[in-house]
Amino acid sequence: MDHIIETPTIKGPADRFTGDVYLNMLQAPTEPGRLAVGLVRFTPGARTNWHSHALGQTLHLTDGVGLVGTRDGNIVRVTAGQTITCPAGQEHWHGATGTTFMAHIAMVVGDDNGDGTTWLEPVTDEQYGQAS
């Protein structure tokens, strides 16, 4: 065992999230590796903006009930213990339902320019309402 890492909890920035979201980075990419892993906690109704990942993303729910939506209107409801993958380049969002907290471990492999995430506009209340 190398060492135990203690990571601070930070509030998710308002330019990437709607509602209250908290993040603990569990693994930051360090050369030669490119894996970033974060524990992300969403309060009821909180969600990411639309975004995509150059090399895809894997989400593993650790608590609560979550929603993952794609531009084509597909919505997947996920619960603790389930894992969902978002393909490379797919614009999507994820967050808690309107009545439950949700936490997931987000895993992404970065590209040559960082974590490979492209952040887009917020998910509207109307879009979110159709999902929950």
Side-chain angles (χ1 to χ4, degrees):
M1 182 179 337
D2 218 8
H3 59 281
I4 295 174
I5 299 169
E6 204 171 302
T7 62
T9 300
I10 61 169
K11 189 162 187 345
D15 63 344
R16 295 181 180 181
F17 299 95
T18 297
D20 292 326
V21 177
Y22 299 91
L23 169 69
N24 287 78
M25 281 307 296
L26 304 177
Q27 171 69 48
T30 49
E31 291 297 330
R34 295 182 178 177
L35 177 65
V37 181
L39 172 59
V40 190
R41 297 176 183 98
F42 296 80
T43 59
R47 57 204 180 260
T48 67
N49 282 9
W50 287 102
H51 63 285
S52 66
H53 304 278
L55 300 175
Q57 181 181 47
T58 299
L59 304 172
H60 177 77
L61 264 74
T62 60
D63 189 41
V65 181
L67 302 167
V68 180
T70 57
R71 288 282 188 186
D72 64 4
N74 186 34
I75 303 295
V76 177
R77 190 176 183 95
V78 288
T79 59
Q82 293 182 315
T83 301
I84 187 165
T85 58
C86 303
Q90 181 182 64
E91 292 183 5
H92 67 282
W93 64 270
H94 33 99
T97 69
T99 58
T100 61
F101 283 84
M102 185 271 284
H104 64 49
I105 296 173
M107 297 163 271
V108 68
V109 174
D111 60 12
D112 290 335
N113 300 312
D115 73 0
T117 303
T118 301
W119 288 99
L120 304 164
E121 78 277 8
V123 173
T124 66
D125 289 341
E126 181 181 337
Q127 291 168 322
Y128 178 76
Q130 291 172 353
S132 59

